[in-house]
Amino acid sequence: MLRQLFFLTACASAFLPNRPRCTPTPLRAETEDDNLVVDDAARASLEKLALMTRSSEADEGPPRPKSSGTARRRRAEERKLVEVLGRTSEPEQFKAAIDGLWSLWFSERGSENKAKLEAVDRLISEGEASQWVEASAAARELADEHDDWPEALNRLATVEYLRGEYATSVELCKKVLAAKIHHFGALSGICMCYQKLGDEDALAEWRERMLPNDPSARRRWADRAIRALDRLDG
């Protein structure tokens, strides 16, 4: 389902992990101040590709408050990786950008909270219904404590999907996508929920927003995401 080709496979497995998300192929390593840096070889490849893409004008709407330096640095890294997703046709570069975004999203609230979220992910990936109840409680606690952390909401959405709470999962996915319109995991997840709910109109609408296979469509998808990221910095 939604996994016909490589790109859709990467997106679908993002929401419903078939391997622990706590052990992705590493693209980034955490530093002592919890900022993320790209491995030198990967950075050279990704930055070279990223420089080939330029975003267009920002989306309409009022400017948002200036954010902290750490948040701005993280968004700059996120922006580069999204640029790669929109530009590359190389599977290795695509996978590196996907893994880099996962690593960034999991680390957005520091190493301690990252470890807690990885523990939730282990419970999800072990596949027992009793563990999903525990995972749901732990993910909800993180989401309540950090209500502006999209990845905590995305993990909670994943658990609710597994538990058959599709409508709840849809609402959680929408919250993730309100913060990150390019969150390919939540985009895949909301489509899977609407398919389970039998809502063909909503499914068709949200499929149009997923990370496309077509290179020109992927570039437009990435440009839209970059404009949204740029607006966060005012």
Side-chain angles (χ1 to χ4, degrees), residues 2 15 161 166 169-175 177 184-197 202-203 206-207 209-210:
L2 303 178
F15 181 79
Y161 175 90
Y166 306 123
S169 186
V170 163
E171 294 309 310
L172 291 164
C173 286
K174 287 180 177 179
K175 290 181 179 180
L177 293 165
F184 43 79
L187 286 167
S188 178
I190 200 169
C191 288
M192 295 167 78
C193 289
Y194 277 127
Q195 186 169 60
K196 288 289 188 181
L197 292 167
L203 176 58
W206 283 98
R207 271 180 170 164
R209 306 187 192 189
M210 289 181 66

Side-chain angles (χ1 to χ4, degrees), residues 44-56 79-80 82-84 86-90 93 219 223 226:
S45 175
L46 294 178
E47 288 190 348
K48 181 178 179 181
L49 188 64
L51 287 172
M52 298 169 65
T53 302
R54 293 292 183 270
S55 64
S56 55
R79 189 183 190 281
K80 290 176 185 177
V82 171
E83 284 180 328
V84 172
R87 189 75 182 185
T88 189
S89 59
E90 296 296 326
Q93 288 181 328
R219 187 174 300 182
D223 285 346
I226 289 164

Side-chain angles (χ1 to χ4, degrees), residues 97-201:
I98 291 287
D99 285 345
L101 285 166
W102 277 125
S103 182
L104 186 68
W105 293 341
F106 262 68
S107 302
E108 282 181 329
R109 295 300 175 271
S111 57
E112 182 178 348
N113 287 309
K114 176 186 176 185
K116 291 179 181 179
L117 198 58
E118 287 174 342
V120 170
D121 219 33
R122 284 192 292 272
L123 291 170
I124 292 172
S125 65
E126 287 168 6
E128 297 292 335
S130 61
Q131 292 170 304
W132 294 339
V133 173
E134 183 181 352
S136 178
R140 190 171 296 279
E141 182 177 349
L142 279 172
D144 288 344
E145 184 178 354
H146 305 279
D147 59 3
D148 59 345
W149 187 11
E151 198 51 45
L153 291 170
N154 186 55
R155 292 298 98 188
L156 182 56
T158 303
V159 183
E160 295 308 298
Y161 175 90
L162 292 170
R163 298 176 65 203
E165 301 291 340
Y166 306 123
T168 300
S169 186
V170 163
E171 294 309 310
L172 291 164
C173 286
K174 287 180 177 179
K175 290 181 179 180
V176 176
L177 293 165
K180 295 183 184 291
I181 65 171
H182 55 290
H183 196 296
F184 43 79
L187 286 167
S188 178
I190 200 169
C191 288
M192 295 167 78
C193 289
Y194 277 127
Q195 186 169 60
K196 288 289 188 181
L197 292 167
D199 191 333
E200 294 298 326
D201 290 339

